[in-house]
């Protein structure tokens, strides 16, 4: 069997495992959950990603350009698995957790900007500031378990969702023009 066929089989198998995991858990919250789609910026909560492979699948499927929020308690996964997708889609990596230097070492040649955040709140604030400069997707896909400040990925995803809503509430609503045009 060729290398390509083996990789395809592995990929299909991993997707089936993720689908089975979602089916067992009974809901799709924290799995490609759109938290907000506002001002040409889509915020996606993929807190369920506790491995690099789970981040690979979601990164493959979301539209770019992407600001990727990643990190937590690192399990020594091979971060370079994401190199091609980081190069193709990600313009900014915001790293959290105990080993941001590992992400930097893996992707320093793959992305335009690399930022370290002290916690998830700061990561959301940084992402919001950076996203205002260009439209795209902000993807929270930690690729790590949530042993640090969170009980589990659901708690972590709920905190992310709440922080995004809080951050976006600071943005004043766009005023409608007093002038009518064909598109009004």
């Amino acid at each position: 069997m060729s290398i390509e066929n083996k990789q395809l089989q592995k990929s299909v198998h991993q997707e089936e495992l993720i689908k089975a995991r979602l089916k067992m858990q009974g809901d799709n919250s924290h799995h490609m959950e759109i938290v907000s789609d506002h001002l040409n910026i889509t915020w996606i909560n993929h807190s369920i990603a506790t491995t690099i492979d789970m981040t690979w699948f979601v990164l493959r499927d979301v539209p770019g350009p992407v600001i990727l929020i990643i990190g937590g308690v690192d399990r020594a996964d091979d971060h370079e698995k994401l190199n091609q997708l980081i190069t193709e889609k990600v313009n900014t990596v915001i790293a959290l957790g105990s080993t941001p230097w590992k992400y930097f070492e893996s992707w320093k040649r793959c992305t335009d900007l690399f930022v370290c955040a002290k916690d998830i709140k700061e990561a959301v604030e940084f992402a919001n500031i950076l996203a205002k400069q260009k439209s795209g997707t902000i993807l929270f896909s930690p690729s790590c378990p949530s042993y640090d400040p969170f009980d589990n990925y659901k708690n972590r995803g709920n905190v992310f969702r709440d922080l995004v809503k809080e951050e976006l509430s600071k943005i004043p609503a766009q005023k409608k023009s007093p002038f009518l045009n064909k598109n009004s």
Side-chain angles (χ1 to χ4, degrees):
M1 183 179 293
S2 72
I3 292 173
E4 288 90 17
N5 285 342
K6 286 181 181 177
Q7 288 174 334
L8 180 61
Q9 276 186 327
K10 183 179 178 185
S11 174
V12 168
H13 177 70
Q14 288 172 332
E15 284 191 64
E16 288 172 357
L17 289 173
I18 291 169
K19 287 177 186 175
R21 181 177 174 185
L22 289 170
K23 187 176 181 180
M24 284 173 37
Q25 291 163 339
D27 66 38
N28 285 343
S29 57
H30 316 296
H31 171 71
M32 292 185 70
E33 171 190 8
I34 296 176
V35 175
S36 174
D37 195 359
H38 183 66
L39 299 176
N40 295 322
I41 301 166
T42 304
W43 291 76
I44 298 176
N45 175 6
H46 195 65
S47 182
I48 198 168
T50 56
T51 67
I52 288 291
D53 291 329
M54 292 178 82
T55 295
W56 186 92
F57 285 114
V58 72
L59 194 53
R60 176 196 65 184
D61 293 341
V62 298
V66 173
I67 295 173
L68 175 63
I69 302 173
I70 193 166
V73 177
D74 185 60
R75 289 200 271 199
D77 281 345
D78 180 8
H79 299 108
E80 293 185 6
K81 287 180 180 180
L82 296 180
N83 282 7
Q84 182 177 352
L85 286 169
I86 297 284
T87 300
E88 291 171 4
K89 291 189 172 187
V90 176
N91 58 25
T92 303
V93 172
I94 301 175
L96 305 163
S98 55
T99 55
W101 56 271
K102 286 185 177 183
Y103 302 109
F104 177 74
E105 284 301 314
S106 295
W107 304 326
K108 62 187 172 191
R109 291 181 185 88
C110 300
T111 188
D112 298 335
L113 183 61
F114 190 92
V115 178
C116 291
K118 66 181 180 195
D119 57 27
I120 193 170
K121 182 174 181 11
E122 189 173 75
V124 168
E125 291 168 353
F126 288 163
N128 192 38
I129 290 166
L130 294 166
K132 289 178 185 177
Q133 298 170 11
K134 47 189 129 187
S135 61
T137 302
I138 299 170
L139 174 62
F140 177 55
S141 189
S143 299
C144 298
S146 51
Y147 306 132
D148 43 353
F150 305 103
D151 297 332
N152 53 50
Y153 79 88
K154 290 180 180 182
N155 174 248
R156 176 175 63 189
N158 290 339
V159 168
F160 174 76
R161 184 187 313 118
D162 292 345
L163 288 169
V164 168
K165 290 179 180 179
E166 178 184 320
E167 188 68 21
L168 296 180
S169 72
K170 298 175 188 175
I171 300 171
Q174 285 186 323
K175 293 183 179 179
K176 289 191 175 183
S177 170
F179 304 103
L180 296 176
N181 62 40
K182 289 191 270 184
N183 299 327
S184 297

